[in-house]
């Protein structure tokens, strides 16, 4: 009997080729999502539930950990022949608690696909995101696209996670007051609540002390629906009943009865009213520019008050120190902050960006680079066979070289300028984070080149 090479009668690549041609959703190698249902979370938020194909499920749901709380996913959306890339936080975890699923779906169904594929047996292979309808793509996804529509997607990614916070903390030896058992404070506004669900669920499973402070715009205090319109309220109530280490404060900016420390905005008094040892607390924040601006200003005020304490007043004698904990070994509470930058987070509360225009955002980014003395680097656009020199944000440098690139807000919010970097190192001027030298997605409005860069443009 002869032995040796025996080719497959039908190769898997051929099967994948035929399957993908019959339906893009059947691809065995390319992750795809199919719209399954829409749910109303509040006046501002719509949840979209997607069924994942085999390629996505094999890489995510079949793995022990799935995705981490706080991570996001990228969707490629085609509208009138134009493709748009958008990134949305994943709600919850891959092993979704039933209570969370009920909090999303109970009495909020806008519509569901009647496809035979949308069966209850496939709940384990679905993901959910939340969208605030405020732009072309978000309105399309929440109001126009048909159920059963198929979208190309990225794998879950992002470093707004508990694991990354522990890695960052381990690399900074000056933060001895923080540890893996430190209390956690999650501050969110509007759609910024979506990454918090997975983070909080994951933190509670680790027996962490967790506090949620959430700002949203609901009904007025005379409106009986003001509380029922709070996104995921049923889930927060379930967590309070299930975990003694969890509590939450929900501020409805239209209801004075819900204000914390008498203010509808986030202030120093709001943070102190939580009665947490802030110097020992890790703070995760996600929300609008105004919310993050208020957070930085509140932290600056707390730091300033501590510095003004009389030298002979011990923490045990100071009601202020009792509320926020001793800051003697903590230069600033900003060291405790972990920000999700889907909005333009501020690095200094001296700069008021709450009402800045797109032009001001562009000027701020350019000034930040000029103050940091970035060396000129060569940028190559592979698709266009063009190149230019850049010592400032890539978008601005390209325009000054007479090259048009896609853009929107110019502040890192809308994601319209996002493109694929093939190689080279770039720096995000809002976060200071350096990229790897490999293939990844970047925004041209808020990144500068630290080496020669090749873009898939």
């Amino acid at each position: 009997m002869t032995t040796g090479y025996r080719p497959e009668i039908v190769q898997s690549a051929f099967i994948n080729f035929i399957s993908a041609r019959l339906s893009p959703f059947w691809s065995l190698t390319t992750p795809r999502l199919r719209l399954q249902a829409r749910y109303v979370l509040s006046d501002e938020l719509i949840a979209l539930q997607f069924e994942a194909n085999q390629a996505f499920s094999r890489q995510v749901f079949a793995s022990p950990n799935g995705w981490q709380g706080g991570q996001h996913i990228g969707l490629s959306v085609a509208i009138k022949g134009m493709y748009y890339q958008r990134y949305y936080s994943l709600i919850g975890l891959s092993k979704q608690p039933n209570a969370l699923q009920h909090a999303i779906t109970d009495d909020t169904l806008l519509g569901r696909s009647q496809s035979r594929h949308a069966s209850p047996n496939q709940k384990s292979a679905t993901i959910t995101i939340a969208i605030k309808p405020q732009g072309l793509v978000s309105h399309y996804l929440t109001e126009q696209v048909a159920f059963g529509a198929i979208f190309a997607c990225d794998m879950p990614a992002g470093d707004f996670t508990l694991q990354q916070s522990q890695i960052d903390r381990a690399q900074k030896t000056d933060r001895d007051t923080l540890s893996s058992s430190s209390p956690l404070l999650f501050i969110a506004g509007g759609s910024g609540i979506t990454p918090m669900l997975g983070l909080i669920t994951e933190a509670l499973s680790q027996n962490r002390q967790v506090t949620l402070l959430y700002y949203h715009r609901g009904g007025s205090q005379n409106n009986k629906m003001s509380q029922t319109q709070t996104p995921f309220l049923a889930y927060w109530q379930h967590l309070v009943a299930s975990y003694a280490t969890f509590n939450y404060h929900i501020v409805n900016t239209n209801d004075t009865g819900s204000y914390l420390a008498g203010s509808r905005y986030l202030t120093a008094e709001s943070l102190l009213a939580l009665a947490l040892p802030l110097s020992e607390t890790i703070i995760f924040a996600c929300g609008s520019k105004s919310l993050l601006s208020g957070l930085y200003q509140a932290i600056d005020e707390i730091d300033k008050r501590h510095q003004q304490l009389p030298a002979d007043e011990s923490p045990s004698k100071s009601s202020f120190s009792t509320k926020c904990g001793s800051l003697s070994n903590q230069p600033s509470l900003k060291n405790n902050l972990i920000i999700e930058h889907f909005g333009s987070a501020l690095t200094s509360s001296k700069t008021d960006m709450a009402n800045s225009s797109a032009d001001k955002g562009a000027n701020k980014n350019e000034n930040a680079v000029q103050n940091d003395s970035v060396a000129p680097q060569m940028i190559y656009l592979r698709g266009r066979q063009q190149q230019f020199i850049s010592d400032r944000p890539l978008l601005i440098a390209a325009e000054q070289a007479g090259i048009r690139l896609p853009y929107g807000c110019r502040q890192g919010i809308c994601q319209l300028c996002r493109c694929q970097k093939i190689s080279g190192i770039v720096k995000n001027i809002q976060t200071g984070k350096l990229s790897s030298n490999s293939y990844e997605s970047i925004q041209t409005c808020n990144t500068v080149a630290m080496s020669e860069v090749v873009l898939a443009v």
Side-chain angles (χ1 to χ4, degrees), residues 314-335:
S314 66
S316 61
K317 296 181 180 180
S318 169
S319 59
F320 169 72
S321 295
T322 301
K323 288 182 179 180
C324 69
S326 174
L327 294 175
S328 57
N329 298 322
Q330 198 81 5
S332 171
L333 286 179
K334 288 180 182 177
N335 291 341

Side-chain angles (χ1 to χ4, degrees), residues 399-450:
E399 291 175 337
Q400 291 179 348
I403 299 173
R404 290 182 58 84
L405 296 177
Y407 70 90
C409 68
R410 294 178 178 269
Q411 298 181 68
I413 302 174
C414 71
Q415 309 289 328
L416 285 176
C417 67
R418 189 171 287 278
C419 66
Q420 299 299 322
K421 174 178 68 68
I422 299 174
S423 64
I425 298 175
V426 297
K427 179 180 180 180
N428 186 308
I429 59 177
Q430 292 176 330
T431 66
K433 183 178 179 180
L434 290 173
S435 74
S436 65
N437 191 31
S438 57
Y439 192 93
E440 62 183 316
S441 177
I442 65 169
Q443 291 174 269
T444 59
C445 74
N446 62 7
T447 54
V448 294
M450 307 303 290

Side-chain angles (χ1 to χ4, degrees), residues 259-263 267 269-271 273:
Y259 291 175
L260 197 60
S263 175
T267 64
E269 297 302 331
S270 303
L271 290 180

Side-chain angles (χ1 to χ4, degrees), residues 134-153:
Q134 59 181 358
L136 173 67
V137 176
S138 58
H139 276 294
Y140 177 74
L141 290 173
T142 57
E143 299 175 6
Q144 301 176 25
V145 67
F147 292 114
I150 298 170
F151 302 90
C153 67

Side-chain angles (χ1 to χ4, degrees), residues 18 63 90 159 192 247 285 302 317 326 356 405 408 415 455:
I18 297 299
S63 65
L90 291 160
D159 54 10
N247 67 88
I302 292 174
K317 296 181 180 180
S326 174
S356 62
L405 296 177
Q415 309 289 328
L455 302 178

